């Protein structure tokens, strides 16, 4: 979006809907403002997120960043 989105960094080319994709953080503050709110984790990357990003492989079945 090259700086043109308001609280969004991507958009759907078919619908034009704007949305935010967060960078993953080891401390779990993965949302837009770093608040303590759970962020959903897609099924296809869940194991990698908990193992590689957070270093908590025992939580790989958990569906949010909390």
């Amino acid at each position: 979006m090259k700086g043109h989105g308001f609280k969004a960094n991507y958009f759907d080319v078919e619908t034009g809907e704007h949305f935010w994709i967060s960078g993953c953080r080891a401390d779990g503050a993965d949302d837009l403002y770093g608040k303590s709110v759970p962020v959903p984790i897609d099924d296809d990357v869940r194991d990698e997120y908990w193992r590689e990003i957070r270093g908590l492989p025992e939580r790989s079945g958990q569906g949010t960043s909390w």
Side-chain angles (χ1 to χ4, degrees):
M1 292 190 59
K2 299 183 181 181
H4 298 294
F6 177 72
K7 296 184 183 175
N9 58 359
Y10 290 89
F11 69 95
D12 186 309
V13 295
E14 292 181 11
T15 67
E17 177 184 9
H18 292 178
F19 54 94
W20 180 266
I21 296 179
S22 175
C24 298
R25 295 174 43 143
D27 66 1
D30 299 327
D31 73 344
L32 177 58
Y33 297 109
K35 298 179 204 169
S36 296
V37 296
V39 175
I41 303 169
D42 288 346
D43 291 340
D44 60 336
V45 296
R46 184 171 295 144
D47 287 338
E48 181 181 2
Y49 173 82
W50 285 110
R51 187 180 60 252
E52 303 296 324
I53 305 297
R54 298 292 300 274
L56 300 167
E58 66 277 7
R59 295 177 71 178
S60 66
Q62 191 168 325
T64 64
S65 61
W66 273 13

